[in-house]
Amino acid sequence: MPLDYSKWDNLELSDDSDIECHPNVDKKSMIKWKREAIHRERAERKAQIEQLEQFIPLEKWVLQQLAPFPSYLEKYGVESTLEKLKTFQALAQKAGRHIVAVDAATKPDTPPLTLDKALANIIKENVKQDELLQSIESLQKKAAVVLEKSEKELERLRKEQNKKMTSENMFKETSNRTILNKASSSSSSAPSKKSTKKEKVVETLNPNAQMKNLSISDDKQEQKDESDSDEEGDIELSKEAAAFAKLKGFEPSYKHITRYPEIVTERISDEILAEAFTSQIKGNEEFARNCVIQALTLQYCGQLGRDGVNTFFAKMNAANQQARSMFFNDVDSTYKRIQTRCAEIIAERSNEQVETIQLQAAQDGSPITIRIPDPKEEEAYKVYQALPETFRDALKTGSLDSLNKVLEHMSVDDAETLVQVCSQYGFLDVGEQVIDETQQQ
């Protein structure tokens, strides 16, 4: 059964190893020049297409606006037509539609005539009706010729753009489909049909490659204690990894890897997975899952052999979605393990005992004196006003429990400083002894 390889005729290679060049010319330089020439031609063609796509609708607008003027001239005369042309000119200037209405290709040294200038040449005083009609029709013809040439040029450029298979037009449903030429049913001399057996074949991205699991393992031995998670958190995110982690979708990822192939490394993949771990703990679940996708993309590209990048993205873009489903199943399972582990770490952190300072009455039962300074005591009152608002409110209640509730949300250093200041200025009457109840327990 013959295979149709005609689609490969559209490939344009800029670094073909079989390129022939003069013996005195460096082959690497020749390949580089050829590649630069191809990219330069593509960029120029793309710019021309964008310019024509903007120009053609504007030129059609010119013809649409000029169409009623001949009949208007015959019906209302020269003066009314000139006034209407002035209004049209002002509208074109206000809308910023400085459209080239005259083809200047025949005279390269002559600048193209814009719409406002063309109308200015028509709008003259003491012009006769026949002359005005002739000028309007002449402008219509020139604009129509320019429009026709522009449409033909746009069609030619688009055909030239789609003639070759590039990274910009390869992402199509049929871009990775191989067409089989079926044998004609009229051949009566064909051998008798053989019994066939249907089998379900699981398609893999690369059957000869042994996948290396770089994701988080389910094995509890790899998650011995919190020190392991601290080591994972020590991985710093490089600029290269951060840029790739922010991308969404296969097409932007493919273009980025094509431009920076050096990022397809285990180190970059590990950095992005570590960022997924950090983002999940912070609660940014959407970005965490995207980091998993980007990290596994780099893993697969690196594990699929020499041409792993093209192989991976071709499989992801193929009409058969089985390989794509396998990839996202791997993404889901990896992200689920990250979710589980992060939830465990958050729970462990919430259960950890936090060291705080708590005030309590002396053992002899004497209460702690709480005093609010009088505004007349300028220095003491100024210090009181500088205290945290929550602590001032607790002092006003005169309750030891209220003060302890505020202190338990402070660090030990801040709480100690606050209690010392209050004791120094007489807001609190506390002793200097600090008892560590954790040691006693």
Side-chain angles (χ1 to χ4, degrees), residues 7-225:
K7 75 171 185 176
W8 303 113
D9 296 337
N10 295 328
L11 284 176
E12 186 175 27
L13 303 179
S14 59
D15 54 355
D16 191 355
S17 58
D18 296 331
I19 186 173
E20 296 181 0
C21 59
H22 194 274
N24 295 334
V25 178
D26 181 43
K27 188 173 182 179
K28 293 183 178 179
S29 300
M30 178 62 71
I31 294 174
K32 179 182 177 182
W33 296 334
K34 183 179 179 182
R35 180 170 59 251
E36 291 177 350
I38 290 173
H39 287 285
R40 183 171 58 253
E41 290 175 1
R42 290 178 185 172
E44 292 176 354
R45 182 168 57 244
K46 185 177 181 180
Q48 291 176 358
I49 291 175
E50 292 177 354
Q51 182 180 4
L52 289 173
E53 287 176 345
Q54 296 177 0
F55 172 78
I56 289 175
L58 298 179
E59 193 70 7
K60 289 181 179 179
W61 179 81
V62 172
L63 290 173
Q64 183 182 2
Q65 297 295 325
L66 291 175
F69 276 102
S71 59
Y72 188 88
L73 177 62
E74 294 179 1
K75 186 175 181 180
Y76 296 102
V78 176
E79 293 183 2
S80 298
T81 305
L82 288 176
E83 292 296 328
K84 190 173 180 64
L85 283 172
K86 290 179 182 179
T87 304
F88 175 41
Q89 183 183 21
L91 176 63
Q93 290 178 345
K94 184 177 180 180
R97 296 175 182 261
H98 302 288
I99 302 137
V100 177
V102 178
D103 187 6
T106 56
K107 297 180 180 180
D109 298 334
T110 304
L113 187 61
T114 58
L115 177 60
D116 53 349
K117 292 182 179 179
L119 292 175
N121 294 335
I122 294 176
I123 302 172
K124 297 179 181 178
E125 296 182 0
N126 301 324
V127 65
K128 295 181 180 180
Q129 182 171 344
D130 294 340
E131 294 178 358
L132 183 58
L133 178 62
Q134 184 178 0
S135 299
I136 294 174
E137 291 178 347
S138 176
L139 182 59
Q140 284 179 317
K141 291 179 181 178
K142 290 177 181 179
V145 171
V146 172
L147 177 62
E148 183 180 0
K149 289 184 178 180
S150 299
E151 289 177 340
K152 290 182 179 179
E153 180 67 12
L154 180 60
E155 183 180 0
R156 184 190 68 81
L157 290 173
R158 283 176 174 171
K159 287 182 179 179
E160 185 68 23
Q161 185 184 43
N162 297 326
K163 185 178 180 181
K164 299 295 183 180
M165 184 183 298
T166 64
S167 59
E168 295 180 357
N169 59 17
M170 70 175 289
F171 286 92
K172 296 179 180 178
E173 183 179 357
T174 59
S175 61
N176 296 286
R177 183 179 298 170
T178 303
I179 301 174
L180 300 179
N181 294 330
K182 296 182 179 179
S184 175
S185 59
S186 60
S187 56
S188 58
S189 60
S192 58
K193 295 183 179 179
K194 297 181 180 180
S195 59
T196 59
K197 181 180 180 181
K198 293 184 179 180
E199 295 182 357
K200 183 177 180 181
V201 179
V202 178
E203 180 184 7
T204 60
L205 294 175
N206 188 355
N208 297 324
Q210 184 176 1
M211 299 299 292
K212 179 182 178 182
N213 185 12
L214 300 179
S215 59
I216 297 177
S217 174
D218 287 328
D219 191 358
K220 294 183 179 178
Q221 293 181 355
E222 295 181 3
Q223 302 171 348
K224 293 180 181 179
D225 50 22

Side-chain angles (χ1 to χ4, degrees), residues 238-250:
S238 62
K239 294 182 179 179
E240 298 83 358
F244 189 73
K246 295 177 182 178
L247 299 178
K248 293 184 179 181
F250 287 125

